[in-house]
Amino acid sequence: MRSIRLTLTMMAWLVGACALTSTTMAQTAPSPGNAAPTADNAVLLTVFFKHDQSRPLNELNAQLAKQNFYKAFPPAGVEVVSWYVMMGIGQVITLRLPASRLREVNRIIEDTAWGPYRTEFYPTYDYKAVGMGEHDKATGN
């Protein structure tokens, strides 16, 4: 009797948790932000767009057009620092954006780039001034 009650309690808990998770965790498209990146809130985001090499390029480009990738990406107010084609991989794009817009950029990529690309994300920050300052200090400049 005790094991049946425990089993029923666990089942009720799991059903409740699943229901709560599905409603509260569903992602909706974020409203576009208008925050501009500044020295104290900017992050760099490097995104690897790895081509699906099992499909020809014209098919991938057609899917990107159908999904409005180039219309939505990059969103207004997000700076493109670099955008390269890496042969054999796909495209590598580095963006500068306010940290508060990270989710917005992620959702745009999920909605418009998935399919033709598999993605990898590398959030970073600008270290150039610090690194060069340390270099200058070490070399006496």
Side-chain angles (χ1 to χ4, degrees):
M1 180 71 166
R2 184 172 183 228
S3 65
I4 293 172
R5 193 173 358 157
L6 179 62
T7 301
L8 290 174
T9 302
M10 290 300 291
M11 286 177 54
W13 183 84
L14 285 172
V15 168
C18 289
L20 178 64
T21 300
S22 66
T23 58
T24 59
M25 297 301 285
Q27 290 200 12
T28 57
S31 59
N34 57 6
T38 62
D40 63 336
N41 76 359
V43 294
L44 294 172
L45 180 66
T46 299
V47 184
F48 277 42
F49 288 96
K50 294 183 171 188
H51 289 140
D52 176 356
Q53 294 183 2
S54 70
R55 298 166 54 199
L57 184 58
N58 63 344
E59 188 179 310
L60 299 176
N61 286 334
Q63 185 176 355
L64 288 170
K66 180 181 173 189
Q67 294 173 188
N68 293 314
F69 174 72
Y70 290 107
K71 182 176 182 180
F73 184 86
V78 170
E79 177 188 353
V80 176
V81 176
S82 64
W83 193 326
Y84 295 101
V85 170
M86 186 179 291
M87 292 171 48
I89 299 292
Q91 298 181 29
V92 180
I93 303 169
T94 301
L95 306 170
R96 180 177 288 115
L97 61 140
S100 63
R101 296 191 63 196
L102 185 61
R103 181 174 182 272
E104 173 191 356
V105 170
N106 180 59
R107 287 291 303 186
I108 288 170
I109 291 169
E110 288 175 347
D111 290 340
T112 65
W114 283 9
Y117 297 117
R118 286 175 296 124
T119 54
E120 292 182 17
F121 298 87
Y122 300 94
T124 58
Y125 54 91
D126 191 347
Y127 192 73
K128 182 179 177 181
V130 174
M132 294 307 297
E134 291 297 316
H135 171 77
D136 290 346
K137 187 167 59 173
T139 59
N141 292 335

